Each structure stands twice: as structure tokens, then as C-alpha cells.
Amino acid sequence: MVKILITGSLGQIGSELVTILAKRFGKSSILMTDVKEPAVKNSEDVEFSILDVTNADSVRSIVRENGITDIFHLASILSAAGEKNPQKAFAVNSTGTFNVIDAASSLGINRLIIPSTIGVFGPETPRDNVPDITITRPTTMYGITKVSAELLSSYYHDRFGLDVRGVRYPGIISYLTPPSAGTTDYAVDMFYHAVKHQEYTCYLSPETTLPMMYMPDALKSLLRLFDAPASSLKHRLEYNISSFSFNPQELYGEIKRHVLDFRVRYEPDFREEIAKNWPRTLDTSEAAKDWGFSPEYSFKETVSDMIVNVRKILDLA
Ligand code: SER
């Protein structure tokens, strides 16, 4: 029997992944966890427990006591929040991830999924068509902790045979749960401000291009990787994925086709410094070859779908 633990299950990805996993495996096969109580009960009525991943004993106990077979480790402090509190980012992303990896290995977990990020790249990484294996010398605490997660995952796989897998996510665009202070999140904010106020002040420069993807493709990809035969995987977490790249000016132009009187001002802050050291475009061919990565939503389709759903959520449809 499968019993899946999700850490960080109330976050942007977790809150949507839980619905898909509950549908596929049954709600009694899922255990949602997060460091805080949910504000509202999840619609799937999946069991929830508090889990602070920085506490190694709590991680081991929850895995042991619930007969956990597989883990999606999504608890993470993103790039912008990480620069505001680097100590917390290290605790959650490095100590927490070590605790989860070590528990998964010693307690015989079948598959451990850990998303990585474009945050692992830095100023010395080429900016375009970036391959999976390249220079990864980030300048943010988020990036440093995620490179360390990638290396730890390879170490535990090679040394102890742990089946640990992941993708390097680009910016993820979604409407259900707001993202928690990443650098790419302007792309989500812009939709809400466009629909609600018809104006937005963007913290990145108009020409700062970043790789992005829509949530349905982000989830589909993670599950496809989860299902892939172990023998087909060449990397552990180092699979670049993205659907398209755009900059704030291009996103503004596309949203304006739906919200005619939308206006944007640019006031770049510290997040611009983070974004300009990340790639503009990624080479995703290894993910396609090894486990069939194939996103469906184009940039235009993503924008149209977001507008419809943000209007619905704000009750303006
Ligand atoms: N969305 C993340 C961030 O901006 C990058 O993976 O921090």
C-alpha cells in the first residue's frame, strides 16, 4: 500500500498536488504536513499533521508512525524570503532537507521527490539554453541551499541507493494558492493586480526575462517523473524544465489584450539583482528524453486561462 507524506503541503505547489494525489491514490493514502495549521480545511478532506522539517526527530517519527512509503518534500523558503532571513532559509532548506533525505534513506522510503529550482544558477552560468550540467554557483541563500540539496541527493543515491528525484522548477504561474515570496512571483501578482486594480508596480525591470511554466504542467511533470522507471533517470534533481520564457513587459502586453486599461510601472528592487543572475532560457531536452517531459500550455494559453480563473476567484467573471 502507498502512503505519501507531503511536506510544505499548504504552499503554492503542495496545495494543488494534494488534490491530484488524493484522486489518484485515495485520500487515506496521503498525509499532508506543514509547519502551520491550514487556514481552511482542504477540499479533499486529507489528513493533516504539523511537521517542522528542521526537527530531525519529528521527521523520523512521522515517517515511522504513519508507515510512509513515498515523500514529496516541498517545504522550502523561496529566494526573496530567503534573502530577508538567510538563517531561516538555511534551517528549512538545508537542515530540513538533510533531515528528510536521511530519514527517507534510513527508513527505506521507495521514492523521495524534491523540487529544485533555477535558483541554483548564478552569474557565471550561461544565460541561454542552459543545460542540466553547468556552472552552479548561486549568490542567494536559496540557491546555495538548493545546490546543496542536489548534491546531497546524488550522494545518498550513489552511497545508499536512495531513489530521490526532482526537477529544477522555473517560475510557476498559478491562481489557487499565492506563492510565498519568490523572485518569479511578480508573474502571479501581475494577474491579480490587473484584474482587481488595472495597475501594477513591478519589482523587476521590463526586460528581465525568466523561464516560466503554468501550474498544470508543473504538476503533470512532477508526477511523470514520479512514475518514471528508475533505470531511465540519468540525474537526480538536475532536470531543467520550463514551458516558455518572458519578461515583465511581454507579460504586461499579453495581459493587456484581456484587460484593456491595464497599466504597469517599474520599480526594480533587490529581486532584480536575483533575477538578473538567473538564466533567460533553459535546455529541457534531457527531461524530455529521460522521462517524457512535454508541457502543454503555451504562454498565450497560460495568460488566457489565468485571466479567466483569477476573475472567477475574485468573483468578477
Ligand atoms: N520561484 C522561485 C523563486 O522565485 C524560483 O524557483 O524563488
Side-chain angles (χ1 to χ4, degrees):
M1 213 191 87
V2 173
K3 181 87 191 201
I4 299 176
L5 172 74
I6 309 176
T7 72
S9 71
L10 302 180
Q12 185 192 16
I13 298 172
S15 57
E16 298 206 33
L17 180 69
V18 76
T19 309
I20 297 183
L21 290 177
K23 281 205 179 94
R24 175 160 161 193
F25 294 103
K27 66 177 183 185
S28 59
S29 297
I30 315 296
L31 177 59
M32 296 175 69
T33 66
D34 209 299
V35 73
K36 57 177 189 303
E37 291 284 350
V40 283
K41 210 168 162 50
N42 66 87
S43 54
E44 305 302 318
D45 197 24
V46 169
E47 189 187 350
F48 177 89
S49 289
I50 292 284
L51 176 64
D52 175 358
V53 293
T54 66
N55 184 323
D57 290 339
S58 305
V59 173
R60 294 180 77 81
S61 310
I62 209 156
V63 170
R64 223 190 272 110
E65 284 162 17
N66 292 281
I68 298 298
T69 60
D70 298 87
I71 302 175
F72 285 78
H73 174 46
L74 308 181
S76 185
I77 304 291
L78 295 187
S79 56
E83 289 317 289
K84 291 199 170 139
N85 192 342
Q87 293 78 7
K88 184 173 175 194
F90 186 86
V92 174
N93 300 357
S94 282
T95 307
T97 299
F98 172 76
N99 290 342
V100 172
I101 290 176
D102 194 59
S105 172
S106 58
L107 299 174
I109 288 303
N110 293 336
R111 271 164 301 186
L112 167 61
I113 306 293
I114 309 177
S116 188
T117 163
I118 53 169
V120 297
F121 301 119
E124 291 137 287
T125 311
R127 304 293 307 283
D128 287 303
N129 204 25
V130 174
D132 294 344
I133 303 304
T134 182
I135 300 167
T136 43
R137 289 176 50 79
T139 50
T140 61
M141 183 54 96
Y142 177 59
I144 291 166
T145 60
K146 286 295 195 172
V147 170
S148 128
E150 290 188 351
L151 295 172
L152 269 177
S153 296
S154 294
Y155 178 84
Y156 269 76
H157 172 262
D158 298 346
R159 175 103 199 251
F160 302 115
L162 178 67
D163 187 342
V164 48
R165 310 167 176 203
V167 293
R168 283 190 185 130
Y169 272 137
I172 296 178
I173 301 167
S174 69
Y175 53 86
L176 272 186
T177 305
S180 60
T183 298
T184 56
D185 300 344
Y186 86 86
V188 175
D189 291 348
M190 199 187 276
F191 284 97
Y192 276 88
H193 282 79
V195 170
K196 228 174 165 171
H197 311 293
Q198 296 78 55
E199 58 180 30
Y200 178 60
T201 304
C202 184
Y203 57 75
L204 294 188
S205 300
E207 270 139 31
T208 301
T209 298
L210 291 167
M212 298 275 179
M213 116 185 293
Y214 197 28
M215 183 61 96
D217 281 326
L219 296 173
K220 189 182 87 172
S221 306
L222 208 57
L223 291 173
R224 197 166 270 191
L225 177 65
F226 180 75
D227 289 332
S231 57
S232 67
L233 303 180
K234 211 167 32 253
H235 302 311
R236 306 324 312 168
L237 310 190
E238 297 87 357
Y239 282 111
N240 292 346
I241 61 169
S242 79
S243 302
F244 36 73
S245 292
F246 58 75
N247 62 36
Q249 194 168 253
E250 288 162 337
L251 180 59
Y252 164 67
E254 196 55 36
I255 293 177
K256 201 168 153 57
R257 287 165 19 94
H258 302 264
V259 183
L260 299 180
D261 49 355
F262 182 38
R263 290 189 315 276
V264 169
R265 289 189 304 136
Y266 296 94
E267 286 179 13
D269 65 13
F270 73 100
R271 289 167 281 192
E272 172 65 20
E273 293 305 306
I274 298 176
K276 76 178 191 209
N277 288 325
W278 287 354
R280 284 183 288 251
T281 58
L282 301 175
D283 174 357
T284 61
S285 58
E286 301 261 314
K289 196 165 65 199
D290 288 3
W291 49 270
F293 169 65
S294 70
E296 281 166 26
Y297 283 84
S298 67
F299 175 42
K300 276 185 191 307
E301 287 164 341
T302 300
V303 172
S304 308
D305 206 63
M306 277 293 288
I307 294 282
V308 169
N309 283 294
V310 170
R311 279 189 177 135
K312 263 192 213 147
I313 283 190
L314 295 176
D315 228 5
L316 298 171

